[in-house]
PDB file of all heavy atoms in Angstrom:
ATOM      1  N   GLY A1420     -44.077  50.119 -45.107  1.00 96.00           N
ATOM      2  CA  GLY A1420     -45.128  50.834 -44.385  1.00 96.00           C
ATOM      3  C   GLY A1420     -46.068  51.606 -45.295  1.00 96.00           C
ATOM      4  O   GLY A1420     -46.870  52.410 -44.819  1.00 96.00           O
ATOM      5  N   TYR A1421     -45.988  51.356 -46.611  1.00 97.00           N
ATOM      6  CA  TYR A1421     -46.848  52.038 -47.571  1.00 97.00           C
ATOM      7  C   TYR A1421     -47.951  51.091 -48.044  1.00 97.00           C
ATOM      8  O   TYR A1421     -47.763  49.881 -48.085  1.00 97.00           O
ATOM      9  CB  TYR A1421     -46.048  52.520 -48.783  1.00 97.00           C
ATOM     10  CG  TYR A1421     -45.152  53.698 -48.489  1.00 97.00           C
ATOM     11  CD1 TYR A1421     -43.872  53.515 -48.011  1.00 97.00           C
ATOM     12  CD2 TYR A1421     -45.611  55.004 -48.692  1.00 97.00           C
ATOM     13  CE1 TYR A1421     -43.044  54.596 -47.745  1.00 97.00           C
ATOM     14  CE2 TYR A1421     -44.794  56.091 -48.431  1.00 97.00           C
ATOM     15  CZ  TYR A1421     -43.515  55.880 -47.944  1.00 97.00           C
ATOM     16  OH  TYR A1421     -42.704  56.949 -47.679  1.00 97.00           O
ATOM     17  N   ASP A1422     -49.068  51.673 -48.457  1.00 97.00           N
ATOM     18  CA  ASP A1422     -50.150  50.870 -49.026  1.00 97.00           C
ATOM     19  C   ASP A1422     -49.947  50.739 -50.537  1.00 97.00           C
ATOM     20  O   ASP A1422     -48.948  51.222 -51.086  1.00 97.00           O
ATOM     21  CB  ASP A1422     -51.521  51.454 -48.669  1.00 97.00           C
ATOM     22  CG  ASP A1422     -51.773  52.836 -49.267  1.00 97.00           C
ATOM     23  OD1 ASP A1422     -51.038  53.261 -50.188  1.00 97.00           O
ATOM     24  OD2 ASP A1422     -52.726  53.494 -48.810  1.00 97.00           O
ATOM     25  N   ARG A1423     -50.889  50.147 -51.226  1.00 97.00           N
ATOM     26  CA  ARG A1423     -50.762  49.897 -52.669  1.00 97.00           C
ATOM     27  C   ARG A1423     -50.810  51.169 -53.496  1.00 97.00           C
ATOM     28  O   ARG A1423     -50.459  51.165 -54.678  1.00 97.00           O
ATOM     29  CB  ARG A1423     -51.841  48.926 -53.132  1.00 97.00           C
ATOM     30  CG  ARG A1423     -53.241  49.467 -52.967  1.00 97.00           C
ATOM     31  CD  ARG A1423     -54.282  48.465 -53.339  1.00 97.00           C
ATOM     32  NE  ARG A1423     -55.563  48.890 -52.780  1.00 97.00           N
ATOM     33  CZ  ARG A1423     -56.658  48.214 -52.859  1.00 97.00           C
ATOM     34  NH1 ARG A1423     -56.665  47.058 -53.481  1.00 97.00           N
ATOM     35  NH2 ARG A1423     -57.760  48.664 -52.331  1.00 97.00           N
ATOM     36  N   TYR A1424     -51.251  52.287 -52.886  1.00 97.00           N
ATOM     37  CA  TYR A1424     -51.310  53.572 -53.601  1.00 97.00           C
ATOM     38  C   TYR A1424     -50.083  54.434 -53.352  1.00 97.00           C
ATOM     39  O   TYR A1424     -49.980  55.544 -53.867  1.00 97.00           O
ATOM     40  CB  TYR A1424     -52.573  54.342 -53.194  1.00 97.00           C
ATOM     41  CG  TYR A1424     -53.836  53.559 -53.437  1.00 97.00           C
ATOM     42  CD1 TYR A1424     -54.593  53.089 -52.373  1.00 97.00           C
ATOM     43  CD2 TYR A1424     -54.260  53.252 -54.737  1.00 97.00           C
ATOM     44  CE1 TYR A1424     -55.751  52.352 -52.587  1.00 97.00           C
ATOM     45  CE2 TYR A1424     -55.412  52.517 -54.958  1.00 97.00           C
ATOM     46  CZ  TYR A1424     -56.153  52.071 -53.886  1.00 97.00           C
ATOM     47  OH  TYR A1424     -57.290  51.329 -54.104  1.00 97.00           O
ATOM     48  N   GLY A1425     -49.136  53.939 -52.537  1.00 96.00           N
ATOM     49  CA  GLY A1425     -47.928  54.698 -52.254  1.00 96.00           C
ATOM     50  C   GLY A1425     -48.060  55.643 -51.077  1.00 96.00           C
ATOM     51  O   GLY A1425     -47.200  56.493 -50.882  1.00 96.00           O
ATOM     52  N   ASP A1426     -49.109  55.490 -50.289  1.00 97.00           N
ATOM     53  CA  ASP A1426     -49.316  56.333 -49.099  1.00 97.00           C
ATOM     54  C   ASP A1426     -48.900  55.582 -47.843  1.00 97.00           C
ATOM     55  O   ASP A1426     -49.069  54.355 -47.756  1.00 97.00           O
ATOM     56  CB  ASP A1426     -50.797  56.722 -48.977  1.00 97.00           C
ATOM     57  CG  ASP A1426     -51.289  57.532 -50.168  1.00 97.00           C
ATOM     58  OD1 ASP A1426     -50.502  58.359 -50.688  1.00 97.00           O
ATOM     59  OD2 ASP A1426     -52.443  57.315 -50.590  1.00 97.00           O
ATOM     60  N   HIS A1427     -48.361  56.346 -46.855  1.00 96.00           N
ATOM     61  CA  HIS A1427     -48.068  55.747 -45.550  1.00 96.00           C
ATOM     62  C   HIS A1427     -49.359  55.222 -44.947  1.00 96.00           C
ATOM     63  O   HIS A1427     -50.387  55.893 -44.998  1.00 96.00           O
ATOM     64  CB  HIS A1427     -47.484  56.792 -44.585  1.00 96.00           C
ATOM     65  CG  HIS A1427     -46.006  56.945 -44.676  1.00 96.00           C
ATOM     66  ND1 HIS A1427     -45.131  55.976 -44.272  1.00 96.00           N
ATOM     67  CD2 HIS A1427     -45.256  57.973 -45.120  1.00 96.00           C
ATOM     68  CE1 HIS A1427     -43.901  56.398 -44.467  1.00 96.00           C
ATOM     69  NE2 HIS A1427     -43.947  57.607 -44.981  1.00 96.00           N
ATOM     70  N   VAL A1428     -49.321  54.032 -44.380  1.00 97.00           N
ATOM     71  CA  VAL A1428     -50.508  53.526 -43.700  1.00 97.00           C
ATOM     72  C   VAL A1428     -50.636  54.248 -42.362  1.00 97.00           C
ATOM     73  O   VAL A1428     -49.634  54.626 -41.754  1.00 97.00           O
ATOM     74  CB  VAL A1428     -50.446  51.991 -43.487  1.00 97.00           C
ATOM     75  CG1 VAL A1428     -50.418  51.267 -44.817  1.00 97.00           C
ATOM     76  CG2 VAL A1428     -49.274  51.587 -42.620  1.00 97.00           C
ATOM     77  N   PRO A1429     -51.851  54.489 -41.899  1.00 96.00           N
ATOM     78  CA  PRO A1429     -52.021  55.143 -40.598  1.00 96.00           C
ATOM     79  C   PRO A1429     -51.644  54.195 -39.463  1.00 96.00           C
ATOM     80  O   PRO A1429     -51.610  52.978 -39.649  1.00 96.00           O
ATOM     81  CB  PRO A1429     -53.508  55.488 -40.565  1.00 96.00           C
ATOM     82  CG  PRO A1429     -54.155  54.589 -41.541  1.00 96.00           C
ATOM     83  CD  PRO A1429     -53.121  54.255 -42.572  1.00 96.00           C
ATOM     84  N   PRO A1430     -51.372  54.743 -38.271  1.00 96.00           N
ATOM     85  CA  PRO A1430     -51.064  53.879 -37.124  1.00 96.00           C
ATOM     86  C   PRO A1430     -52.209  52.904 -36.867  1.00 96.00           C
ATOM     87  O   PRO A1430     -53.374  53.214 -37.094  1.00 96.00           O
ATOM     88  CB  PRO A1430     -50.925  54.861 -35.965  1.00 96.00           C
ATOM     89  CG  PRO A1430     -50.629  56.175 -36.601  1.00 96.00           C
ATOM     90  CD  PRO A1430     -51.325  56.159 -37.928  1.00 96.00           C
ATOM     91  N   GLY A1431     -51.858  51.716 -36.418  1.00 96.00           N
ATOM     92  CA  GLY A1431     -52.864  50.715 -36.102  1.00 96.00           C
ATOM     93  C   GLY A1431     -52.307  49.314 -36.205  1.00 96.00           C
ATOM     94  O   GLY A1431     -51.108  49.109 -36.400  1.00 96.00           O
TER      95      GLY A1431
END
Side-chain angles (χ1 to χ4, degrees):
Y1421 288 87
D1422 64 15
R1423 63 184 163 184
Y1424 303 111
D1426 299 323
H1427 273 291
V1428 297

